[in-house]
Amino acid sequence: MLNTLNVSQTGLNAARIAVENVSNNLANEATAGYKKRVVQLSELDQMDSQFTGRGVSANGAYRITSQYMYDKLMSENTKANYYDKLSNMMSNVESIFAETTDSGLSADLNRYYQAVENLRTNPNSQVYRTTLQNQGSILVESLQNLYTSVEKQQLTEKKELYVNVDDVNNILKQIGVLNEKIEKYGDTNDLLDKRDQLELDLSAYVDISVSTSEGSYELKIGGQTAISNNTNVRTLTVMEEDNLQKDKYTLVDGSVKPNVVYDALKYNEDFTPKTIDANDVVTYKLNNEFEVSVTMGESLTADWDNDVNTADTTQVIDQNNLTRALVFKINSDANMKDSIVAYNGDYTIDANGNKTTNNGQDNFLRVESNFAGASNKFDARISIEKRDNTDSSIIDNREVIYKNDSESVSAESRVYIAINEKEVPIKSGSLKAQTENLSSDSTNNKYQIYLDKLDAFAQTLADISDKYIKTGTNSYIYGEAATNESLGNINSTGLFSGSGVKTLKFDKTAVNDLTQEKLDYLATIQWKSDLSFEGKGQNITSSNKSSLGDFFRDLRVNVSSDKENIEFANTTQSNISMSIRSTYDQLTKVDKDEEMLNLIKFQAAYTANAKMITVIDEMLQTLLGLKR
């Protein structure tokens, strides 16, 4: 009887603990990261085979979880936040390119075309001339505003990136603190719940992996260790890396003569010597705006050996000193020296940081930007005008030389995440979406793609509106780049200059000098549908052919298409993430119906055990009350 009383007492205690656990589950239903607890009940060990049992034991409450489902949830959550961030970014860009019938770059371009056509019908009208001046300026301003708006959006993302990295570091530090408590107090349910929630929050920013083998906690971000030995936390930093643009005017053809570099000013593409002789003019043009020229046979007083300790000397320009003459003129030009610097070949840097070149001979032309980063990129080319050796007014040939792409270095701005200054190859998450759209060398950088297309639009507009060669009644060679490699009389309108949106300018005064012939030429641009936007001369064999209006419309279509594709991917990934979360929540979250059933069950058990104790108590009272 006393054994039965003890069994009932253990049952009463176990039922009480189970009811308290149900109450705790219901109370923490809305607690972030909370996983429902289940009381583990087990039979007490028997003393020997003669007894049926000694009661029940409540061995504590354990939390319901699934490591496999949890890992999948974090992985899909990271991908979902990657696409969600991209979707948000693209929505902002799409709003920048939004237009109405009467507003936007397309409308401004049409009004500019109409202003040209009106002035063409009446070249003496001051009203039409003023309208063209205004519409040309508005077109440039509209294009630059569009460009600046995209840049501002990119800058906003960069600022947010720094905030997000701070949030990530704060989460890492909190996990480190929790691990310290776990080391001190053990793997308590509440500490594990809090750590799981922090890990899930972290997975929204970056892809992570967690290992808890042999009691040692390790968390990796993009494969790089961020937390090791439980409490050793390594924080993330945002790294910005800018590269200088370095143009080299050389020809390299390994199939003909391996590992040999040829100076494009001295050799043709077939590696035969190039003849640049008396009266020939070699011109370096920067950003389709500023230029310096060297005429073969002219006398030039310069620092030929680049030695400040020796006096300048005068030499007659020929093929043996042509490169050094160009270097001197580029570096002496007031409009160029603040943005670029030229060198005669490669240079060495001494202990004081001074750059030294071998100026005992001509090497190749090397031009660098003075400031690093994609925002300081420039565009340039060299033109050679072959003139008759005896009569400089006779032009025999024209040629354009562009930088050698394989030997040149583009201006780049990289943004990446690092731990201890070592780059972290993040694969997904919101930080991945931001960093890849802030690095100019990233093929996934939508901002840079759109900015480059706007630059191509501006460059082509400035080029074809500046110079032309008339080849027939209604036929022309379009653009300065094309006329620089074609024979004929080059005509200049001088309306636009620049090689990109930032350098694009419209000269209002040039409108006053527009003749009927120039206006006739400008009027044909509106209908020209085979323009090349590759940054070189107009090439009818180019696969990228379009009109100015269609090129910009295609850009807007690409923006909308990119937004739609990303939105589709975002919706799909969100559904996947929600499905896994729903399954995981069904396993780990508190279910009121289930808890109410448990409450009824354990209340009934409590009542039954209490009734059993009451019965035994009555029996004992009866026995004690018996008289002999």
Side-chain angles (χ1 to χ4, degrees):
M1 186 179 296
L2 292 177
N3 286 338
T4 303
L5 181 64
N6 183 66
V7 170
S8 298
Q9 183 181 6
T10 62
L12 190 66
N13 184 59
R16 177 185 60 81
I17 293 174
V19 170
E20 290 174 350
N21 181 72
V22 170
S23 178
N24 185 63
N25 282 338
L26 292 172
N28 286 280
E29 178 188 8
T31 300
Y34 181 82
K35 295 178 176 62
K36 67 181 178 182
R37 315 293 198 243
V38 175
V39 176
Q40 185 175 5
L41 302 177
S42 62
E43 182 184 9
L44 288 173
D45 294 337
Q46 299 181 25
M47 296 294 292
D48 54 54
S49 59
Q50 296 179 5
F51 296 94
T52 59
R54 300 180 62 234
V56 62
S57 172
N59 297 325
Y62 64 91
R63 62 192 196 125
I64 299 296
T65 187
S66 167
Q67 191 61 45
Y68 172 77
M69 289 294 296
Y70 177 64
D71 290 341
K72 289 294 293 180
L73 176 61
M74 286 198 300
S75 174
E76 299 304 326
N77 184 53
T78 305
K79 296 176 185 177
N81 278 274
Y82 169 78
Y83 287 112
D84 185 64
K85 168 52 69 175
L86 284 181
S87 177
N88 178 263
M89 294 164 64
M90 287 304 305
S91 294
N92 293 331
V93 174
E94 188 178 39
S95 65
I96 292 173
F97 283 89
E99 294 186 342
T100 65
T101 305
D102 299 321
S103 66
L105 184 64
S106 298
D108 292 332
L109 181 62
N110 289 333
R111 282 191 281 266
Y112 166 76
Y113 284 147
Q114 187 60 52
V116 171
E117 188 62 33
N118 290 340
L119 185 59
R120 174 173 171 262
T121 59
N122 188 357
N124 297 320
S125 172
Q126 183 59 46
V127 174
Y128 289 157
R129 188 177 294 114
T130 301
T131 301
L132 178 57
Q133 290 173 332
N134 292 335
Q135 292 303 324
S137 299
I138 290 173
L139 179 60
V140 172
E141 183 180 354
S142 178
L143 188 57
Q144 291 177 340
N145 287 340
L146 194 60
Y147 194 94
T148 302
S149 296
V150 177
E151 284 188 317
K152 286 181 178 179
Q153 185 59 42
Q154 196 172 29
L155 180 59
T156 299
E157 289 300 331
K158 180 181 288 189
K159 291 178 179 178
E160 185 180 320
L161 173 64
Y162 278 90
V163 174
N164 288 342
V165 169
D166 287 341
D167 290 343
V168 168
N169 290 334
N170 184 47
I171 293 174
L172 292 175
K173 292 174 183 177
Q174 290 184 62
I175 293 177
V177 171
L178 283 175
N179 286 339
E180 188 176 356
K181 291 181 179 179
I182 289 174
E183 284 183 340
K184 185 176 181 179
Y185 303 111
D187 294 340
T188 62
N189 288 330
D190 60 327
L191 293 178
L192 293 176
D193 281 350
K194 291 177 181 178
R195 191 172 69 181
D196 284 355
Q197 184 60 41
L198 288 173
E199 290 171 353
L200 193 59
D201 292 343
L202 186 61
S203 69
Y205 298 98
V206 288
D207 54 290
I208 67 173
S209 61
V210 178
S211 172
T212 56
S213 61
E214 299 180 358
S216 178
Y217 182 91
E218 183 181 50
L219 185 148
K220 292 184 177 181
I221 296 176
Q224 298 291 328
T225 301
I227 300 178
S228 61
N229 297 326
N230 297 326
T231 58
N232 186 8
V233 178
R234 302 177 180 89
T235 56
L236 275 62
T237 55
V238 179
M239 305 293 290
E240 296 189 47
E241 187 178 276
D242 292 328
N243 295 328
L244 290 168
Q245 179 173 338
K246 302 176 182 179
D247 290 354
K248 295 180 72 174
Y249 291 87
T250 60
L251 292 173
V252 178
D253 191 340
S255 64
V256 179
K257 292 186 178 181
N259 303 321
V260 179
V261 178
Y262 288 89
D263 186 351
L265 297 177
K266 306 290 178 64
Y267 293 88
N268 297 309
E269 291 190 26
D270 60 358
F271 297 95
T272 58
K274 181 178 293 182
T275 302
I276 304 178
D277 49 21
N279 296 327
D280 294 348
V281 179
V282 180
T283 302
Y284 177 87
K285 187 153 191 175
L286 176 68
N287 291 334
N288 202 35
E289 183 176 12
F290 307 117
E291 62 182 46
V292 293
S293 297
V294 173
T295 302
M296 304 301 288
E298 73 169 295
S299 295
L300 180 64
T301 302
D303 180 11
W304 295 97
D305 58 4
N306 196 29
D307 187 348
V308 296
N309 297 319
T310 60
D312 293 353
T313 57
T314 301
Q315 293 187 21
V316 176
I317 307 302
D318 58 20
Q319 283 203 188
N320 294 319
N321 57 18
L322 172 59
T323 301
R324 284 173 289 173
L326 274 175
V327 169
F328 175 79
K329 289 206 171 187
I330 291 172
N331 293 337
S332 301
D333 186 83
N335 295 314
M336 296 186 183
K337 63 182 182 180
D338 289 338
S339 57
I340 61 172
V341 58
Y343 298 95
N344 176 33
D346 287 323
Y347 52 75
T348 57
I349 303 177
D350 61 23
N352 297 321
N354 298 317
K355 298 176 180 178
T356 305
T357 56
N358 176 19
N359 289 313
Q361 63 180 27
D362 266 17
N363 300 304
F364 56 84
L365 181 63
R366 176 181 180 135
V367 183
E368 293 185 1
S369 56
N370 287 335
F371 306 100
S375 61
N376 295 297
K377 66 180 179 179
F378 62 91
D379 182 76
R381 62 178 180 269
I382 292 175
S383 62
I384 301 176
E385 193 169 68
K386 296 284 295 177
R387 295 174 179 259
D388 186 81
N389 292 347
T390 57
D391 187 352
S392 61
S393 64
I394 300 176
I395 300 174
D396 296 327
N397 189 31
R398 292 191 179 105
E399 177 186 356
V400 174
I401 298 174
Y402 297 95
K403 67 180 181 181
N404 185 283
D405 290 331
S406 62
E407 290 289 311
S408 298
V409 178
S410 300
E412 291 180 352
S413 295
R414 291 192 66 235
V415 177
Y416 59 92
I417 304 300
I419 295 178
N420 293 338
E421 297 186 355
K422 183 178 180 181
E423 182 172 358
V424 179
I426 300 174
K427 301 180 181 65
S428 193
S430 60
L431 294 192
K432 172 65 174 178
Q434 289 178 311
T435 53
E436 71 180 8
N437 280 278
L438 293 174
S439 298
S440 62
D441 63 336
S442 171
T443 57
N444 295 325
N445 189 338
K446 297 297 183 182
Y447 291 126
Q448 195 61 49
I449 290 173
Y450 305 146
L451 292 175
D452 287 344
K453 286 186 176 294
L454 290 175
D455 276 331
F457 179 93
Q459 184 178 46
T460 302
L461 171 65
D463 179 58
I464 63 175
S465 299
D466 187 25
K467 290 183 173 63
Y468 66 94
I469 294 176
K470 190 172 185 179
T471 58
T473 303
N474 294 307
S475 59
Y476 305 90
I477 294 174
Y478 287 78
E480 181 177 359
T483 59
N484 282 345
E485 52 187 352
S486 305
L487 285 177
N489 182 39
I490 299 178
N491 301 284
S492 176
T493 67
L495 283 184
F496 291 94
S497 63
S499 61
V501 176
K502 288 187 174 181
T503 58
L504 184 65
K505 296 178 182 177
F506 179 77
D507 187 357
K508 289 185 176 183
T509 60
V511 175
N512 297 323
D513 299 325
L514 292 178
T515 63
Q516 183 69 57
E517 179 186 307
K518 293 178 180 179
L519 289 167
D520 289 342
Y521 166 74
L522 291 172
T524 65
I525 293 176
Q526 178 179 1
W527 313 109
K528 187 168 176 58
S529 59
D530 59 349
L531 292 173
S532 170
F533 293 83
E534 297 177 351
K536 298 182 179 180
Q538 292 303 311
N539 182 3
I540 60 173
T541 63
S542 171
S543 59
N544 182 24
K545 294 186 294 184
S546 179
S547 66
L548 285 169
D550 287 342
F551 181 83
F552 181 71
R553 278 190 289 272
D554 287 343
L555 171 56
R556 294 184 62 237
V557 169
N558 288 340
V559 171
S560 297
S561 177
D562 289 341
K563 172 63 171 65
E564 184 177 347
N565 291 337
I566 291 174
E567 190 62 35
F568 175 78
N570 183 37
T571 302
T572 302
Q573 186 59 44
S574 294
N575 290 336
I576 294 173
S577 180
M578 289 176 62
S579 175
I580 294 177
R581 179 178 286 276
S582 177
T583 303
Y584 184 71
D585 287 348
Q586 287 180 6
L587 176 68
T588 64
K589 291 296 183 181
V590 176
D591 185 332
K592 287 184 178 180
D593 293 337
E594 181 182 354
E595 296 302 323
M596 291 307 297
L597 289 174
N598 288 334
L599 182 60
I600 294 172
K601 178 175 65 176
F602 290 120
Q603 280 181 329
Y606 187 90
T607 301
N609 282 285
K611 182 65 175 177
M612 182 65 69
I613 292 174
T614 301
V615 170
I616 294 173
D617 180 63
E618 291 175 350
M619 293 173 63
L620 287 173
Q621 292 296 331
T622 300
L623 289 174
L624 292 174
L626 291 176
K627 294 182 179 180
R628 293 180 181 180

